[in-house]
Structure formats: structure tokens, C-alpha cells
Amino acid sequence: QVQLVESGGGLVQPGGSLRLSCAASGSIFRVNAMGWYRQTPGKQRELVALIRRGPTGNYADSVKGRFTISRDNAKNTVYLQMNSLKPEDTAVYYCNANVVTTSSGTSDYWGQGTQVTVSS
């Protein structure tokens, strides 16, 4: 019913930047909150940043001041601008969206994941 397609991951040196994008499509009536999570082997998935339909984002302490989340409500797209990247940021990043569908109720949907590797 709803698909989230991510892009923008890759390999970058410490101190570099990447911008992730995630576009939701399908039977969408309204997209509520959107967020970015990340996961590394042996660790639980953690919330990196969250944004509702307003302009203000919420961030994990580990990325505060370095990452910026934003969204384009007309395009059902969320972005994560990542600056001053550190090796500790290496993870698979997953997009999440809480969606009110046209066919049923409200559910959470996940992107396919995109690998971010920060290494020299």
C-alpha cells in the first residue's frame, strides 16, 4: 500500500557530509511523523531524528548540532543532512513514516535501508 524509497547513502571520509532522502508513495491520505533510524550489528535500532508536519526536528544527543532533518509535505519526502560525520555514524539508516492510508487506518512503514559508512 505504501512504499518508502531511500537514497543518498554511501562511503564518506570522517568530517564529510551526506544527505539522505526518503520519498513515500502509494495509497496515502496523510503522512504524519517521519523519522530516521539507524542500526549496526549487535545493537538495537535507534532513533536518530524525528520530524512531524511542523518545521521542528528532534534529535538524538549523539547527532545534535551535526544532523538536520527536514521534509517536503507536498512531496511526502523527508531528508537528513549529515555533516561532520564520524566513524561512529556508520550504520544502516532506515526511514520511517507514520501514514494514514486511503484504504484503511494508520500504520508505520519502513524504507529499505541505506548504508552509510564513515571511514578513512
Side-chain angles (χ1 to χ4, degrees):
Q1 291 292 323
V2 177
Q3 294 180 334
L4 274 61
V5 179
E6 304 178 27
S7 63
L11 175 65
V12 66
Q13 292 184 337
S17 297
L18 286 172
R19 189 168 91 140
L20 307 182
S21 299
C22 174
S25 62
S27 302
I28 298 171
F29 177 76
R30 185 180 69 247
V31 179
N32 295 320
M34 304 186 81
W36 291 96
Y37 295 74
R38 67 187 182 188
Q39 188 167 23
T40 57
K43 292 197 66 177
Q44 297 231 338
R45 185 177 57 193
E46 63 174 341
L47 177 65
V48 176
L50 178 72
I51 189 168
R52 296 175 172 86
R53 292 186 64 83
T56 303
N58 300 101
Y59 303 90
D61 288 341
S62 59
V63 307
K64 206 167 293 181
R66 300 187 296 120
F67 291 9
T68 302
I69 189 170
S70 61
R71 65 186 289 173
D72 186 334
N73 291 333
K75 297 180 179 180
N76 292 325
T77 299
V78 64
Y79 308 93
L80 185 67
Q81 178 67 47
M82 304 184 293
N83 298 326
S84 302
L85 282 161
K86 305 174 180 179
E88 307 92 89
D89 297 317
T90 296
V92 178
Y93 284 71
Y94 295 92
C95 175
N96 172 270
N98 183 260
V99 179
V100 181
T101 67
T102 57
S103 59
S104 58
T106 304
S107 299
D108 280 7
Y109 295 88
W110 292 92
Q112 80 279 10
T114 185
Q115 177 71 48
V116 172
T117 301
V118 185
S119 177
S120 59

